[in-house]
Amino acid sequence: MPTLLWAQDAIFARDIEVADWKAVFGRIEARDQIPARTRLGGTLVEVSVSEGATVQSGQQIGQVVDEKLALQLSAVDASLQSLKSQLGNAEAELARGENLLERGVTTAQRLDALRTQVDVIRGQIGTAEAERNVLVQREAEGAVLAPITGTVLTVPVAAGSVVMSGEQIATIGGGGFFLRLAVPERHAMYLNEGDTIRIEGPAGAQEGRLAKIYPQIENGRVVADVEVPGLETDFVDARVLVRLPVATSTATVVPANAVTTRMGLDFVTVTGPDGTPQPRTVVIGQTHTIAGEVLTEILSGLNGGEQLVIDRE
């Protein structure tokens, strides 16, 4: 028989504020999506990655070749060779001039002219070497590098394509993954950074944290990011069912052990006007856990403040 709990330990049905959850779909996205671009215009001769590959920051993922650079390098090398020959001849002339000046055969003016000629040729050699270094650097810029460590999401071009400087060769996703939500703006006032979010993924129910709410509303929707530990990231942009707390409502709850089920009906025993236990049929709702206590929501058949009779096992 149920035993009535006396006043000092009496338990009552009570009204509490509970969150109303709205089901929306979120997309799994990389925190950073950065394009890997070519720094050189020319022909894409090699693409060494494909969608889904993992790359490291600075890793070469493609090669662009501009054939004009090789011709320009050949021209600069030929010019350098000619200038070095001229320098050798000018230095020999300068040495002979210094010898003749010591013997009084030539003039100091002629010697100054020879020194100037040597300096001019050396300056021209320096200019040509600088031009060659620029061309070598431009050739090196044909290597397409991964800007961040992450996963290759897209590769919109193929080997053999003619590309312009700054054109995108691949898109790299990195910096971790999160869920991006687009929630109707009427619910924006109920969203708070740090709220717990329920996620129903292929691996089962999970909980996440509302990490960021963006202030700009796009197409009548508020964009928000949710951090989820251990989020499945095999497929980027996959849709996942998410439940958001968008409002609060008052619910009548009782301890879970106050509800009994007989013949398919749910009963709660309350204290009658004369103090005797009286079973009452109720309709139950969700289960809530508050401060470690498991509570059952009563949708109808019971009001907050009514004293309960709980079976003492």
Side-chain angles (χ1 to χ4, degrees), residues 93-111:
E93 288 288 338
L94 178 60
R96 282 194 295 269
E98 290 174 344
N99 187 28
L100 291 174
L101 182 62
E102 290 177 357
R103 293 157 52 186
V105 176
T106 188
T107 64
Q109 183 179 6
R110 171 61 180 166
L111 190 62

Side-chain angles (χ1 to χ4, degrees), residues 186-214:
R186 65 180 179 274
H187 300 308
M189 65 184 70
Y190 301 108
L191 299 179
N192 298 292
E193 293 185 2
D195 284 350
T196 298
I197 307 299
R198 297 177 181 174
I199 297 123
E200 298 179 9
Q206 293 177 274
E207 285 192 352
R209 184 180 68 87
L210 192 60
K212 186 173 182 61
I213 301 173
Y214 293 91

